[in-house]
Amino acid sequence: MFDTVLIANRGEIALRIVRACRELGVTSVAVYSDADAHAPHVREADRAVRLGPAPSTESYLRADLLIAAAQRTGAQAIHPGYGFLAEREHFARAVRDARLVFIGPPPEAIAAMGSKTEARRLAIAAGVPVVPGTTESLRDAREAREIAERFGFPVLLKAAAGGGGKGMRVVREAADLASSLDAARREAKNAFGDDAVYVEKYISGPRHVEIQVLGDAHGTMLSLGERECSVQRRHQKMIEEAPSIAVAPDLRRRMGETAVRAAQAAGYVNAGTCEFLLDAEGSFYFLEMNTRLQVEHPVTELVTGIDIVQWQIRIAAGDKLPFRQDEIAPNGWAIECRITSEDPANGFLPATGRISYLRLPGGPGVRWDGGIGAGSEVGLHYDPMLAKLIVHAPTRDAAIARMHRALLELTIQGVETSRDFHLRVMEDDEFRRGAIDIQWLERRLSSLTNVAAPPEGEMAAVIAAALLAEQERLRRVPPASGLAPNGTPAAGDDRAAWRLAARRDGLVEG
Ligand code: ADP
């Protein structure tokens, strides 16, 4: 095992990796930009190295500084987390060239899966079903039109180098093709420095179901089962769960075998994820492979009992996986909500501020993977994801009830967050029934975020909540030193409680 690992990341994922290192008895080295000098991941790591100024191009994206920091601190390996340099072939290669271990797949596997068109070619060659479409990038709008007419509209234009939903355009009719192609190309060029765009058939109303794989350097490649990530806004995941309500054991086995085949075809080692679209008929299509740890890995950890981050480190150190495929089956249900500094009532506008008060949920089956503390400054330099709230319970219904309870306990003051939005999703009938697909949230969004004008019958509950909040504020005594204050719940909490009371009394329908 390594003595020391450098963590080339920040926020919640850096802290997650610090925790894995500590449990393995490995010394962790954090890195930070000037904006993060007092961040929790820096405080919690055994050692910390300053990289540079706040912009990530001058800090977290500087491969040279990261490698120098690893060498200076005697680290033998670098964990890239997700985002930043995690899926950059050049970084994995530079780490290897510096005689350090990259905790992730070999650079060749990152390259093979790095381009969507190449990944599609590789998948097709391995007998993995892909969404109908091309494997070559488009020459011009005329070619796009010919292909689109062959598959039938709507089609999806996608950047070959794409990621994070960028460079994607749905095209519903031929007349829009030329302008959409221009727009997709421009966006791709800006985001990835590569304007190659190809076409896929646009699948209507599928679920996003992905398979976590884990492979060692001794030839074992396992599927850890599926996660459903259909609750998306602008192709970005907001809530994830494991298992999926749409996946029965036989489908789980077939999707798992397919993902393992795709990973093996790429010469994959370590943790990775194959993303699929699953249609209403139970057919699934490979989208892409993410060659890194995913944000949503905790839901898989909770239902399988396998610590993916610890295994990433152990696999990189040469350990053999001790599990057999037939021993891995989901136990219970796990749900994750991404807590972001975005204002749902305001079109999910990124919010900034200083976290003045933070009350974390606890109790049975609750996990908080966060990168913030009271006093943290939330700026615009980095991703708006502050933390992940994850719950585990015996059934999906129980997990939803637990998440709702945990969200009520969570209080973040000083910056707008997505917390109230998640509460409303947990209360939503369609979500509770599992009647979701990747377009579900966009259809439902206005009713889930429209807090400005509460329905008439709710007005009394709103006023009562405001009065209660005021009363709480007046009653609050300064906390004894060293004890966490029992904070005033945000107005949202009280409103939910009053709404429940009103429902019980028959004042409000629902
Ligand atoms: P990115 O790498 O930019 O995240 P993906 O290929 O993973 O792009 O797709 C992101 C999301 O876009 C998917 O989760 C799904 O919601 C949607 N999507 C992708 N391809 C299709 C398709 N062919 N039809 C319908 N929706 C799609």
Side-chain angles (χ1 to χ4, degrees), residues 357-358 479-487:
Y357 177 76
L358 179 65
S481 71
L483 287 178
N486 184 13

Side-chain angles (χ1 to χ4, degrees), residues 12-13 82 240 292-299 336 338 369 385 388:
E12 71 86 18
I13 198 60
Y82 54 70
E240 302 97 344
R292 54 167 161 82
L293 183 66
Q294 301 266 100
V295 171
E296 59 272 24
H297 74 276
V299 292
E336 170 179 285
R338 298 188 184 198
D369 278 21
M385 202 182 71
K388 299 164 333 200

Side-chain angles (χ1 to χ4, degrees), residues 22 47 49 183 234 336 364 385 488 500:
R22 189 151 292 149
R47 304 180 60 181
V49 177
R234 302 202 171 151
E336 170 179 285
M385 202 182 71
T488 311
L500 278 178

Side-chain angles (χ1 to χ4, degrees), residues 364-432:
V366 175
R367 169 170 163 179
W368 173 261
D369 278 21
I372 49 164
S376 291
E377 289 289 343
V378 178
L380 291 172
H381 285 293
Y382 313 113
D383 191 273
M385 202 182 71
L386 304 177
K388 299 164 333 200
L389 178 58
I390 314 118
V391 299
H392 187 213
T395 62
R396 188 168 187 273
D397 285 348
I400 292 172
R402 182 160 280 172
M403 178 60 87
H404 190 261
R405 184 271 292 172
L407 285 163
L408 284 174
E409 288 177 16
L410 172 65
T411 308
I412 303 175
Q413 283 170 359
V415 64
E416 291 296 334
T417 74
S418 56
R419 177 256 196 197
D420 287 5
F421 162 80
H422 287 299
L423 265 176
R424 265 171 248 125
V425 175
M426 294 304 131
E427 291 165 5
D428 185 89
D429 279 344
E430 287 179 0
F431 177 78
R432 295 170 79 105

Side-chain angles (χ1 to χ4, degrees), residues 116 158 163-165 200-201 203 208 232 235 275 288 438:
K116 285 188 200 286
K158 271 192 178 180
E200 271 179 21
K201 169 125 193 79
I203 312 238
H208 175 115
Q232 298 185 353
H235 308 298
E275 297 190 327
E288 65 167 344
I438 59 171

